[in-house]
Amino acid sequence: MCSGPGQYLAGKASRDAHRKNADMLKYASTDAVQRGRRDAGRHRQSAAQLTGKQNARAGASGLTGAGEDVIADTARITEQDVVAIENNAYREAWGLQMQAVGEQVAGRQAYSSGLNAMWTSFMMEGFMWSQAGLFGAPGAPGAAAAGTDPGSKF
């Protein structure tokens, strides 16, 4: 019985599963970037509302210099936070993309392994058949076929 085709099919199925995993990781990578942009936008909106409240309080209390400093600090900190949010999203996306590459490589390796196992199985079976004389090689046991034996009438 030949196990080669089964090993090939198993390698092919494994490759297909790894491809699906890679596709899902790529999708998750895109989603991570989109979430990061959305979260950064929300943070900017929240900071804009805070800045509006700070302006109102500063104007109501008559503060000029100190109020402007607080508002400038809020803007600076907000942009630092936005950059951190976006960078974290890009790092997450990069990590997911690297996992997708790993899945693709694993899939190719599984397929190649199955293919190699199939060919090795075929070659080993052929070798065993030739050693058993099933190919009719001269001098091999069982090689005498009809018409090759000098004493045979057929």
Side-chain angles (χ1 to χ4, degrees):
M1 176 145 171
C2 183
S3 64
Q7 292 169 325
Y8 165 74
L9 291 174
K12 187 176 176 192
S14 181
R15 177 198 62 191
D16 293 344
H18 284 291
R19 281 183 178 172
K20 292 289 185 195
N21 290 343
D23 290 344
M24 293 306 296
L25 287 164
K26 289 176 188 176
Y27 173 78
S29 170
T30 301
D31 183 60
V33 171
Q34 291 172 348
R35 278 186 289 112
R37 289 178 181 156
R38 185 176 56 242
D39 292 348
R42 286 181 183 154
H43 188 71
R44 279 192 178 109
Q45 286 176 340
S46 295
Q49 290 172 350
L50 177 61
T51 301
K53 290 177 185 177
Q54 289 172 338
N55 276 329
R57 287 184 186 146
S61 55
L63 296 174
T64 55
E68 292 172 1
D69 289 343
V70 169
I71 293 169
D73 286 345
T74 300
R76 182 181 50 80
I77 291 170
T78 297
E79 282 309 305
Q80 288 175 345
D81 289 345
V82 165
V83 167
I85 291 167
E86 290 175 341
N87 282 343
N88 288 340
Y90 289 128
R91 285 186 184 109
E92 180 183 352
W94 182 81
L96 291 166
Q97 288 173 354
M98 292 302 101
Q99 286 179 342
V101 168
E103 286 290 330
Q104 290 170 334
V105 168
R108 284 193 295 268
Q109 288 174 337
Y111 179 74
S112 293
S113 177
L115 194 61
N116 289 338
M118 179 184 70
W119 287 114
T120 301
S121 174
F122 286 158
M123 290 177 9
M124 290 304 296
E125 286 182 22
F127 175 75
M128 288 186 295
W129 290 348
S130 70
Q131 293 301 306
L134 297 176
F135 289 137
T148 59
D149 185 10
S152 173
K153 295 182 181 178
F154 300 100

